[in-house]
Amino acid sequence: MTDQRAGRILLSVQGFNPKKWHELLSAERQVVTEPQGESDPSIDYAVVWKHQPGILATLPNLKAIFSIGAGVDHIFADPKLPDVPIVRVVAGNLTQHMVDYVVWRVLDHQRQGMFYRAEQAKKSWREIAQPASPDVSVGILGLGELGLAAAKALKAIGFDVKGWTRTEKSVDGVETFSGEAGLTPFLNATDILVVLLPHTPATEGIVDYELLSKLRRDNGLGGACLINAGRGKLQKEADILRALDDGTLKEASLDVFETEPLAATSPLWTHPRVFVTPHAAATSDARHLVPLMVEQMDRFERGDPLQHLVDRKAGY
Ligand code: NDP
Ligand code: OXD
């Protein structure tokens, strides 16, 4: 039985079937998927993923927007966004999934997984260098909730971990760099680059040929590797292909793409040194995230501050 006095939710989702979200939110609150009329006063909260632009600005009593993901670029894509707090996902389950993905891809590049899979297909018994983790430096662009957790897990395995952030950060056992001035020295010391930045005006297209050419190629792995699980709009795919083809980049693991789904015509699908996953590094799971959202709504209604708020000026 839903509490009729508690705030009502607009669930506005595009790009996936929100059935589970609807079912679990409805068990706690009243939920609608469309506002009623041009200016629906009954809606208190919006739970969104790529919502219909302009729709939130029509809700006169909207109190907060809840992102279904950790990233909020899909919310800022709305030019008519109302000035209410935006809450993003910070959840142990999502973080663990991302850590698993990053560790999986880093280990695969370190242990020459792409090379050995190709050799197995040829029944070829040939060994190449697989440097031990302390001899491989992993540089993480973005040491936020996800990047920091990945950094700690990689450090625990033994990797030489570095991180780059917008504001200065100090992390035990991780060499940190920040701002524009810190980017080149960070890249020059990185063998495997992990991208876990948000997509903002400041980060769009940051992973281009120039950036890739600054990575350390003269290393025990036989070249530099790229892992992007942040956002596709951070990368320039033509530059990644050029870098792979001229040896600037050895291998890439890409979970996100400039346009999703990745077009069937993209050469990334069949490139022998590219590993593609369909934006699946850390999928938001309603079973884990709905209770956290509802708890936040309950807290807010008791007069407590919302947590995990987005900084509108920074854009993440
Ligand atoms: P956070 O907001 O916690 O962290 C973002 C990090 O990026 C911070 O360290 C921040 O620096 C840094 N950063 C932001 N802008 C800049 C900049 N201009 N220059 C340098 N550093 C910058 O985000 P999360 O860790 O929770 O998530 C990161 C991203 O991962 C999300 O925005 C989303 O796009 C993506 N994601 C992808 C998923 C997938 O399945 N592929 C799943 C979940 C998230 P500072 O510390 O100084 O603030
Ligand atoms: C997210 C995502 O931002 O799944 O959480 O991409």
Side-chain angles (χ1 to χ4, degrees), residues 234-248:
L234 300 169
Q235 72 196 15
K236 293 194 176 155
E237 282 156 24
D239 286 18
I240 292 175
L241 285 160
R242 176 181 161 209
L244 283 163
D245 292 342
D246 72 9
T248 298

Side-chain angles (χ1 to χ4, degrees), residues 19-37:
K19 189 168 167 266
K20 197 78 197 162
W21 287 86
H22 196 283
E23 179 190 318
L24 296 178
L25 283 168
S26 301
E28 304 288 342
R29 302 254 163 166
Q30 288 183 59
V31 180
V32 292
T33 52
E34 294 284 346
Q36 281 156 14

